[in-house]
Amino acid sequence: MITFDRVSKRYAEGHEALSEISVDIRQDEMVFLTGHSGAGKSTLLRLIMLIERPTRGQVIVDGVNLAKVGERGIPRHRRNIGVVFQNHQLLFDRNVFDNVALPLVIAGYEHREIGRRVRAALDKVGLLSKERALPVTLSGGEQQRVGIARAVVARPRILLADEPTGNLDPLLSAEIMQLFEAFSQVGVTVLIASHDLALISRLRHRILTLRNGRLVGAGS
Amino acid sequence: MSAAENKPRRDGASARRTRLRHLLQGWLAHHRLSAADSLARVLDHPFSSALTWLVLGIALALPAALTVALDNARALSDRWDSPAQLSLFLSGSVSADEAQALQAALQQREDIEQVVFVSRDAALAEFSALSGFADVLDTLERNPLPDVLLVTPLPGSDAVTALYAELKGDPRIAEVVLDMAWLERLNTLMQLSRRVVLALGSVLVAGVVLILGNTIRLAIESRREEIVVIKLVGGSNAFVRRPFLYTGLWYGVGGGAFAALLVAAALWFLGGPVTRLAELYQSNFRLGGLGIMGSLNLVLIGGLLGLAGAWLAVARHLRLIAPR
Ligand SMILES: Nc1ncnc2c1ncn2[C@@H]1O[C@H](COP(=O)(O)OP(=O)(O)O)[C@@H](O)[C@H]1O
Ligand SMILES: [Mg+2]
């Protein structure tokens, strides 16, 4: 589903953030990406989302070589990927429903269909009762669940998460991870960047470890 | 090709039509949403929005008011009697009967309002009465004056010069005298004024676009995070642009409406005195305004300028907001 072929990324003003990354993630997999701060986890996710382009090598997502996706193709590419951010990236002047509905509005779904899908997504993350609430009135864990609902509402084939439990206590973190596992079980490819080794090693999934921009260990 | 192969294909086509219809509906829905949302945002800040409208209104009202003033000046100058009178001095060989036939022929023409025949005898009598040289003139053996036709072209006809050239070629007419100097001066002045209005209008229009561009730039700045999120979840540039274009449209439309109001107010303010002044000159001249169509045009122009300003701002500033 996601293939990196000898991918390197050098930012304009710096050293190589990623070097010679080769990895293959199957469609039914849930994979953790770990490593010290600055190891290149976020950079790897950004390459998948086409926020950045690789300096060398190829990234292939769902059979599409991203080098062939032009500027105009980027929005369509991103609509096939759900993303969860550490800092939620919610819109604070809109209520939970509108936040979750955003990808559907962008994709041009009609009104009723949006309502149905948003409620289904909110139901999955256990926030159906909060659809009219503003994000500021929610706890950190709830906000993150809104973020997850938004990521999955358009039923993407791939779900990416960058430190989704970064700000949460262990109990909430475990709950969030369970949510991701549930999506993985219904066929979504899940890739989660996290430096919370204690948490992710308890869940038995493949772990990719980055060190100074290189993949280490058996994961690759 | 077998029926079994045909069927799924037809289903595919109809599914695609349904999908297209949904896309179209979604697209329309987002236009409605953007339009309403942008309007709500504009109205959410009544004070600063009204200020923007006022500034735009003044900038648009100035050239509009000057255009109205020029139109009125033209209407006024068209009403003046004999904008240019042609004096046709007939040659000595033309008899009185022939002169009257010529008068009748000219009178038939479309571009001529009136032809007055002044016979040489009448002219001499008038001249001697007015000049006080009656004694001197009496001593003359022969009347030195020719018969004259005074031709008044239809007001506002630009063909005076053509008429002049045509009549000059007529063998019965010895000389055509056209006092056009003041008319030409007036026309030149009007043309000059039009140019000035055009130049001023262009500058002000550019100003309007820049003001709007800046207003939209601020709106973009204040929604930077939202734009980033929208782009991250797959919003196209058009999708991101849409609400800002509507914001520009609303500001422009409001500015245009304000301008129309300002012009109407100015005319109302001046209308009374102008009418009284006209009455003093025994004229029934009334100030003309923008009218409904003119006002609507002003609103339309405002809206277009708003769109243009928003487009400029959006094209410049959205690009700078990562991720692309
Ligand atoms: N936009 C950027 N410009 C320049 N350098 C960057 C940028 N983003 C990240 N980096 C650098 O790339 C390296 C990897 O960063 P990142 O992928 O964010 O690591 P992680 O997410 O594992 O903490 C770091 O050294 C970081 O400083
Ligand atoms: Mg990171």
Side-chain angles (χ1 to χ4, degrees):
Chain A
M1 195 66 173
I2 303 174
T3 303
F4 278 66
D5 182 17
R6 309 190 61 177
V7 172
S8 300
K9 172 65 186 176
R10 181 193 296 277
Y11 284 107
E13 64 268 25
H15 59 281
E16 275 200 340
L18 290 177
S19 312
E20 298 285 316
I21 303 288
S22 288
V23 67
D24 213 344
I25 297 171
R26 290 190 317 277
Q27 195 244 313
D28 57 352
E29 266 192 303
M30 169 152 165
V31 175
F32 287 111
L33 183 61
T34 189
H36 61 91
S37 173
K41 306 183 291 292
S42 301
T43 301
L44 193 145
L45 297 183
R46 284 206 284 270
L47 290 176
I48 298 174
M49 290 190 65
L50 277 177
I51 297 173
E52 298 288 350
R53 300 264 186 185
T55 315
R56 278 193 309 281
Q58 293 189 325
V59 182
I60 293 158
V61 176
D62 202 3
V64 176
N65 185 343
L66 297 193
K68 301 232 163 67
V69 177
E71 286 292 311
R72 304 176 131 266
I74 290 177
R76 173 192 284 261
H77 169 69
R78 288 191 186 143
R79 275 177 233 157
N80 293 325
I81 302 174
V83 213
V84 179
F85 307 91
Q86 176 177 2
N87 53 356
H88 329 305
Q89 301 266 35
L90 299 181
L91 304 178
F92 282 91
D93 59 343
R94 303 193 191 181
N95 65 27
V96 168
F97 183 98
D98 289 343
N99 266 283
V100 176
L102 186 62
L104 300 179
V105 174
I106 286 171
Y109 282 89
E110 56 142 349
H111 191 67
R112 253 168 311 152
E113 183 71 6
I114 290 177
R116 257 183 345 103
R117 292 204 181 198
V118 168
R119 292 199 182 90
L122 283 176
D123 194 26
K124 263 183 242 160
V125 300
L127 284 176
L128 198 46
S129 60
K130 304 268 185 174
E131 64 173 277
R132 295 286 151 217
L134 284 176
V136 276
T137 65
L138 303 180
S139 70
E142 286 171 331
Q143 288 184 4
Q144 191 54 285
R145 283 179 1 226
V146 174
I148 293 171
R150 184 183 65 195
V152 300
V153 73
R155 300 187 195 147
R157 309 193 59 187
I158 298 171
L159 186 55
L160 305 179
D162 196 355
E163 310 276 3
T165 61
N167 297 326
L168 304 178
D169 63 47
L171 196 67
L172 282 173
S173 300
E175 277 179 20
I176 296 286
M177 287 306 177
Q178 274 169 15
L179 264 176
F180 283 119
E181 284 187 309
F183 290 116
S184 168
Q185 272 151 24
V186 296
V188 180
T189 311
V190 182
L191 177 57
I192 301 171
S194 171
H195 63 257
D196 191 349
L197 260 178
L199 174 65
I200 64 176
S201 52
R202 258 188 286 124
L203 307 158
R204 279 183 297 280
H205 296 287
R206 178 144 71 116
I207 297 177
L208 304 173
T209 308
L210 281 170
R211 187 174 301 142
N212 294 325
R214 289 179 182 279
L215 274 179
V216 293
S220 52
Chain B
M1 204 181 285
S2 74
E5 275 172 337
N6 246 337
K7 196 165 186 305
R9 176 178 278 207
R10 209 179 295 136
D11 283 358
S14 93
R16 200 164 61 231
R17 261 204 305 280
T18 316
R19 173 88 187 120
L20 272 179
R21 204 179 60 234
H22 281 167
L23 272 182
L24 183 67
Q25 280 168 354
W27 183 78
L28 286 176
H30 187 243
H31 267 280
R32 267 199 303 278
L33 194 74
S34 305
D37 185 60
S38 302
L39 186 59
R41 279 174 198 270
V42 168
L43 297 179
D44 256 359
H45 305 278
F47 186 73
S48 66
S49 294
L51 214 59
T52 306
W53 282 332
L54 188 67
V55 170
L56 296 181
I58 291 171
L60 287 173
L62 266 173
L66 286 174
T67 305
V68 168
L70 272 181
D71 286 347
N72 277 306
R74 226 241 316 250
L76 196 60
S77 75
D78 283 351
R79 295 163 70 96
W80 282 332
D81 287 333
S82 41
Q85 200 171 51
L86 294 162
S87 307
L88 313 182
F89 297 94
L90 305 183
S91 47
S93 59
V94 175
S95 71
D97 284 349
E98 281 172 326
Q100 259 157 22
L102 182 58
Q103 180 198 11
L106 289 176
Q107 191 75 69
Q108 294 301 315
R109 291 180 57 124
E110 297 269 280
D111 52 353
I112 290 178
E113 184 170 279
Q114 196 189 26
V115 184
V116 175
F117 176 59
V118 183
S119 72
R120 45 196 308 197
D121 299 338
L124 186 66
E126 190 181 349
F127 182 57
S128 60
L130 285 176
S131 64
F133 290 137
D135 299 342
V136 183
L137 292 169
D138 280 345
T139 65
L140 289 175
E141 280 176 21
R142 224 165 46 83
N143 179 355
L145 297 177
D147 288 330
V148 177
L149 289 176
L150 298 175
V151 174
T152 310
L154 269 189
S157 85
D158 298 324
V160 180
T161 343
L163 187 65
Y164 171 78
E166 191 188 328
L167 294 174
K168 214 173 158 71
D170 194 309
R172 290 167 292 182
I173 299 168
E175 206 183 346
V176 183
V177 173
L178 169 63
D179 184 19
M180 282 262 294
W182 72 272
L183 189 66
E184 265 167 12
R185 239 175 271 142
L186 182 70
N187 277 339
T188 314
L189 202 63
M190 296 276 262
Q191 266 166 21
L192 183 68
S193 314
R194 246 167 239 292
R195 288 254 168 124
V196 170
V197 170
L198 201 68
L200 191 71
S202 309
V203 171
L204 288 171
V205 157
V208 166
V209 170
L210 291 181
I211 292 168
L212 271 164
N214 195 50
T215 309
I216 300 296
R217 182 181 66 80
L218 295 177
I220 292 173
E221 277 316 314
S222 76
R223 293 171 75 180
R224 174 181 279 270
E225 285 182 9
E226 183 180 343
I227 293 169
V228 170
V229 172
I230 288 174
K231 286 196 170 182
L232 282 177
V233 299
S236 63
N237 284 336
F239 185 93
V240 173
R241 241 185 337 245
R242 211 163 287 149
F244 296 108
L245 293 183
Y246 272 106
T247 306
L249 182 69
W250 295 136
Y251 277 130
V253 163
F258 219 93
L261 278 181
L262 281 178
V263 173
L267 284 170
W268 172 81
F269 188 64
L270 295 177
V274 166
T275 308
R276 243 168 285 136
L277 191 66
E279 276 162 3
L280 289 180
Y281 284 89
Q282 270 104 48
S283 162
N284 59 353
F285 177 76
R286 293 275 180 285
L287 264 187
L290 279 173
I292 301 276
M293 284 320 287
S295 304
L296 286 181
N297 271 342
L298 203 49
V299 173
L300 187 75
I301 290 171
L304 288 179
L305 291 179
L307 271 181
W311 193 277
L312 278 183
V314 164
R316 262 182 60 76
H317 298 287
L318 283 190
R319 211 185 318 242
L320 301 179
I321 297 180
R324 286 137 310 199

